[in-house]
Amino acid sequence: MRWICKEEEVEEFLSNIKRLLASEKWMDNLIIVKENKEGDKTQKFRSEKNITHSIVARELLKLDITNYSYTDYDDNPRFKNEVVWIFGTVYGTEEIYIKLKIREKVICLSFHEAEYELNYPYLN
């Protein structure tokens, strides 16, 4: 059940991301989820493109409202009431799908090539 948040809500979310990642403890404040299964898209993509933890952080710090696509509930049954924020950006020549949430730290659930077209409601 995806929805589009108001501009102010997206700006607040991004502000919180930037506050956490701009601190001296940025490395501790960014968790990139590794799935314990074959076909982990984020791990595969990061490995193929040599994308380090710090590169992910740098790309997240570049996000602005024009990168926002939509908001949804986490599809993991253990976290079904938690909200996730979907963004897209271009890394190299590829459109990247980014799924984030904040739980005291920035949780990056996905950072890989987009598998379907993302819409950007605030891209003018």
Side-chain angles (χ1 to χ4, degrees):
M1 183 193 125
R2 60 177 70 173
W3 66 93
I4 305 300
C5 287
K6 295 178 184 173
E7 287 184 58
E8 307 82 53
E9 294 170 305
V10 178
E11 293 285 7
E12 182 178 350
F13 179 79
L14 288 170
S15 177
N16 287 329
I17 294 277
K18 291 174 183 178
R19 178 182 48 79
L20 288 164
L21 296 183
S23 77
E24 289 181 16
K25 296 181 179 181
W26 74 266
M27 192 81 144
D28 294 331
N29 286 337
L30 174 59
I31 297 170
I32 303 170
V33 174
K34 295 179 182 172
E35 295 187 26
N36 294 327
K37 64 179 183 179
E38 188 151 334
D40 182 330
K41 297 173 214 164
T42 296
Q43 289 309 111
K44 182 176 181 241
F45 181 75
R46 287 182 62 206
S47 177
E48 288 172 355
K49 305 292 182 186
N50 292 322
I51 298 174
T52 63
H53 202 86
S54 60
I55 290 172
V56 172
R58 184 181 71 216
E59 292 300 313
L60 297 183
L61 285 168
K62 290 181 189 176
L63 296 176
D64 64 32
I65 194 158
T66 64
N67 298 106
Y68 173 74
S69 188
Y70 62 92
T71 306
D72 203 345
Y73 288 107
D74 196 328
D75 58 5
N76 184 325
R78 291 178 30 219
F79 308 110
K80 66 182 178 182
N81 293 324
E82 293 186 18
V83 172
V84 294
W85 299 71
I86 310 305
F87 293 86
T89 192
V90 174
Y91 185 81
T93 59
E94 297 181 73
E95 183 178 33
I96 306 302
Y97 171 87
I98 302 170
K99 185 191 300 185
L100 303 169
K101 65 180 167 181
I102 297 176
R103 210 192 296 139
E104 296 180 25
K105 299 179 180 199
V106 178
I107 313 293
C108 181
L109 298 160
S110 296
F111 188 96
H112 55 77
E113 60 274 285
E115 298 174 313
Y116 55 88
E117 185 177 342
L118 293 171
N119 294 313
Y120 301 99
Y122 301 116
L123 181 63
N124 294 331

